[in-house]
Amino acid sequence: MVRLFIFLAAVALVLLILALISCLAAERVRNMRRWLWVLVIVLIPIAGPLAYLVWGRPVTRTSRRPARRPSSPDDDPDFLRSMDTEQSRRDRETLAQWERELNKDDEQKN
């Protein structure tokens, strides 16, 4: 009997956390205002979170996600392209400087 109670308490806690996260993260909720759903979820164990998950969660027929942005600069092709352009410009400037220095050395030797 104690094991069943612990299991039900764990299920209630998981449902509470999932329902609260879902309610607070959703742009819109159905059938009641958000703060009323939060009260129902918190004050009515097991039935409150289940009620939100059944009747309160917004229904999304089509899940249009915005285009994923790169998570780091190494994943962003535009950034890599700009780095390549910048690095090429610096390399050309360095090469031109070395050529000028070589030409000066050749002129001084003659």
Side-chain angles (χ1 to χ4, degrees):
M1 194 67 170
V2 173
R3 289 181 185 167
L4 179 64
F5 178 73
I6 292 173
F7 176 74
L8 287 177
V11 168
L13 182 65
V14 169
L15 280 174
L16 173 82
I17 291 170
L18 288 176
L20 273 177
I21 290 172
S22 177
C23 181
L24 295 173
E27 290 181 23
R28 299 176 65 184
V29 292
R30 295 185 297 161
N31 298 332
M32 286 194 299
R33 295 184 183 271
R34 182 184 318 265
W35 63 272
L36 284 174
W37 275 119
V38 170
L39 285 177
V40 167
I41 292 168
V42 171
L43 296 178
I44 304 172
I46 299 177
L50 286 176
Y52 171 75
L53 294 173
V54 172
W55 293 295
R57 277 188 18 196
V59 177
T60 55
R61 300 279 182 228
T62 58
S63 61
R64 286 199 46 185
R65 292 184 178 171
R68 284 192 63 216
R69 299 214 23 110
S71 60
S72 68
D74 294 353
D75 296 336
D76 189 357
D78 294 330
F79 176 77
L80 293 175
R81 205 172 303 115
S82 72
M83 286 299 295
D84 185 39
T85 304
E86 181 68 23
Q87 185 65 38
S88 296
R89 184 186 60 77
R90 278 188 263 145
D91 289 344
R92 284 191 306 272
E93 288 175 359
T94 304
L95 183 61
Q97 180 183 1
W98 288 346
E99 287 176 349
R100 285 191 301 269
E101 290 173 4
L102 277 175
N103 288 338
K104 283 183 186 178
D105 288 343
D106 285 343
E107 288 174 5
Q108 289 177 357
K109 288 181 182 178
N110 291 332

